[in-house]
Amino acid sequence: MNIAELQKKLVAAAQAKPLDNRVPYAFEKRIMARLAPAARLDPWMLWSGALWRAAAPCVAIMLLALTWSFFEAGTDKSSVALDVALENTVLAATDTTGEAW
Amino acid sequence: MADSEAMEQTEAELIAAVLDGDTARFEPLVVKYQPRVFATARRYARRESEVEDIVQEVFIKAFQRLASFRSDAPFEHWLMRIAVRTCYDFLRAHQRNRESSFSELTTDETDWLDRYAAEPSSAGEDEDAARRLIERVLEQLPLEARLVITLLEIEERSIKEIAELTGWSIPVVKIRAFRARAAMRKCLARTTVKKYL
């Protein structure tokens, strides 16, 4: 069987099929009914929707940062403890004054 | 009254009015182009409910993207681009549901193939069986191949037009057309070898 000829014949059959452009009754009304809510989009709704969508990535980033700082604090032994560093900074002026006298 | 006034307006005026917030002015555009969009959708979907869903989606997308329409090209071309891409998305979403196969040929279709095998001129291309057979063949093809064969062979569009409609580059369309024809021949060969050899 000649496949190329069969292919041509079947394509010709598809071309010969008349275009079916029937439209269901009042279909445009259905589309317009769907468009009305889309046209009345509230910008505040869009804003709150965007905030909600952003919430999950923000929580994920926070958790990652928390985990990272936790492990970083555990491995970093050379740094001075935060409370000692704060105390040194606050009392630095009085220490210096005492030495001068 | 309002409808007849709207019909008298040019497309550009209607589009400008819709963009200014007058949603009702979109209706004459829907009325004018829906037969064309229905005809396109029926090439890719069989069930009438699916066809209606495709057409509805096309017009909703057109409405939502109307601001991106540039009036230097006809509105119909822009709309048909949305229609073809929506049909492609539909095929992609339903590609796993391709149910028909050549093992399920009807008596008419088998008879048509038998007549073609015996004497090619005795099997007419204007017969319903031939049309149903080509639909089956198209359903068997990968979706890009189906889209290309429909646009290139059945609708007889140029490569450039297909590139514009699909958003593919011209070389990509040419490659896909070559592969689509080969896939179609392979599909037909598989059937006929199984049946006649």
Side-chain angles (χ1 to χ4, degrees), chain B residues 82-129:
Chain B
I82 295 177
V84 167
R85 290 175 193 185
T86 306
C87 290
Y88 181 72
D89 291 341
F90 167 83
L91 288 178
R92 196 161 47 188
H94 292 79
Q95 63 181 335
R96 286 182 189 168
N97 302 341
R98 278 181 288 163
E99 59 218 15
S100 73
S101 74
F102 278 103
S103 58
E104 300 159 0
L105 292 181
T106 62
T107 319
D108 285 354
E109 291 159 7
T110 313
D111 177 54
W112 191 92
L113 270 179
D114 287 343
R115 278 188 283 125
Y116 179 83
E119 175 53 55
S121 61
S122 67
E125 56 239 28
D126 55 342
E127 293 178 36
D128 282 344

Side-chain angles (χ1 to χ4, degrees), chain A residues 7-89:
Chain A
Q7 184 175 2
K8 274 186 196 166
K9 202 151 195 144
L10 289 176
V11 167
Q15 286 170 345
K17 186 181 173 183
L19 274 181
D20 185 357
N21 58 5
R22 288 171 296 118
V23 176
Y25 177 71
F27 191 78
E28 65 278 4
K29 301 290 176 201
R30 170 175 156 180
I31 291 172
M32 294 311 291
R34 298 287 167 122
L35 290 183
R40 274 190 267 108
L41 275 180
D42 181 0
W44 287 110
M45 286 291 287
L46 289 174
W47 174 241
S48 65
L51 287 181
W52 272 112
R53 278 193 295 277
C58 287
V59 169
I61 290 169
M62 190 189 76
L63 289 173
L64 278 173
L66 199 69
T67 313
W68 177 72
S69 62
F70 177 77
F71 284 111
E72 191 68 14
T75 53
D76 192 4
K77 293 188 171 56
S78 63
S79 62
V80 184
L82 190 64
D83 54 341
V84 177
L86 180 69
E87 195 180 318
N88 288 343
T89 308

